[in-house]
Structure formats: structure tokens, C-alpha cells
Amino acid sequence: MVIRGRSRGNGKQLADYLLQKRDNDNIQILDVIGFPDCDSKRFRDTLLSMSLTAELTKSDKGLYHCQINPAYGEDRLMTHEQWIEAADLLGRELRLHDQRRVIVLHTKNERIHAHVVWERYDKSKNRMVSDSFSRLAQDKARKEMERVFGHQQTPHRNARRPEMKSLLTELWKKSKSGAE
């Protein structure tokens, strides 16, 4: 399973991207702040309002956008409830579990992956939820998802890394310049 995410702004552009059929065989709005199967207008309005809360702070990145991409074959085994549970697990690790969120499923080349977008502005504290150490949180959530859903564990490192490292070191030592 691969999880990638980052903070970003411009909810209108993100909504357009997530609803664009260009590369996707199928698009399904799975959840909009607790309302399943909403229409595209409500989805766009929600993402825009989530991104506008950044105006209350000095930040221009009011959203946190993540992709959850299970291994080939495992994506087809996940139910809608499991996709929502995966977003909940990731939200807890990112400290965004109490924030507004939307989930969209994309089918691309017969593989399903989820896009999850959270609002970063915490209304109770009047500040943005920090996105520091989000890569570590994503990795921790990935491990938990693989355990909970019974998916194959993603290796921590490339098994051939030591071999590749020694080969590159050898080539570097034999070269007279970087271009060579």
C-alpha cells in the first residue's frame, strides 16, 4: 500500500481535478463530511468552503490531500466501509480526525485508489492543524491499514538497496567527473 499526501490550497482547482474524468475510468464521490454519495455540486461547494477557512490564518494551504493506493488486487477487495475506515485511520495519525473531510474513489487502469481531503483549520483552537511529521504519520497509518485489512505488508526498504549502493559507489569512484 502506498500513501502520499501534502498540504495544499485552492479547493476549487482540487475539486476540478478530483472530478475530472480525463485519466480515470470511473469517479465516485464516497463521502462528503458524513453524507455518502453526494452530488458534484455539494462536493465542489464543500471543498471550496474547506479551503477558504485558511483565510482566517496566515496560511494559504488550508487543505490536506492524501491518496491511499492499495497493492494491485487488494484494491478490489476493499468495501466502501473499509475505504472510510482507512481514511479514519489516516486522519487519526495526521491529527485531522475531527476535521471536515471528503473521500473520492478513482478507478484508473482497472485499479482503485482513494483521494481523501481534510480541512486543516481547527475551529475550536482557531489555528491550522500542523502538518509536521506527516510522512511518519502516513507510514504508521499504512502499517495499521495493512494489518487491519489483511493486506500484504509493504517492505520498508528495497531489498536490493545495498547491492545498488555498492554498484553506484564503484561507478562513482571510476568516473573522473559527474557528467562522465
Side-chain angles (χ1 to χ4, degrees), residues 2-3 34 43 65 72 80 89 108 121 129 133 148 151 176:
V2 175
I3 300 175
F43 177 80
H65 173 214
Y72 184 75
H80 287 185
L89 284 167
K108 187 177 191 175
Y121 184 73
V129 174
F133 304 105
V148 167
H151 290 185
K176 292 183 180 162

Side-chain angles (χ1 to χ4, degrees), residues 17 31 34 46 83 89 92 98 114 118 121 138 143 146 156 166 170 177 180:
Y17 166 75
D31 184 59
T46 301
W83 284 111
L89 284 167
R92 277 193 295 279
D98 292 330
W118 286 273
Y121 184 73
Q138 290 170 24
K143 290 175 185 174
E146 289 170 346
H156 181 67
S166 65
E170 183 182 323
S177 68
E180 186 182 351

Side-chain angles (χ1 to χ4, degrees), residues 28 30-31 36-37 68 75-90 92 101 103 105 112 114 116 145 148-149 151:
Q28 181 182 5
L30 184 62
D31 184 59
D37 299 322
I68 303 173
D75 60 325
R76 294 272 176 198
L77 301 175
M78 291 187 67
T79 65
H80 287 185
E81 292 76 21
Q82 287 176 320
W83 284 111
I84 291 170
E85 185 180 354
D88 290 342
L89 284 167
L90 183 56
R92 277 193 295 279
R101 141 191 112 193
I103 305 171
L105 296 180
I112 302 170
V116 186
M145 285 179 212
V148 167
F149 303 131
H151 290 185

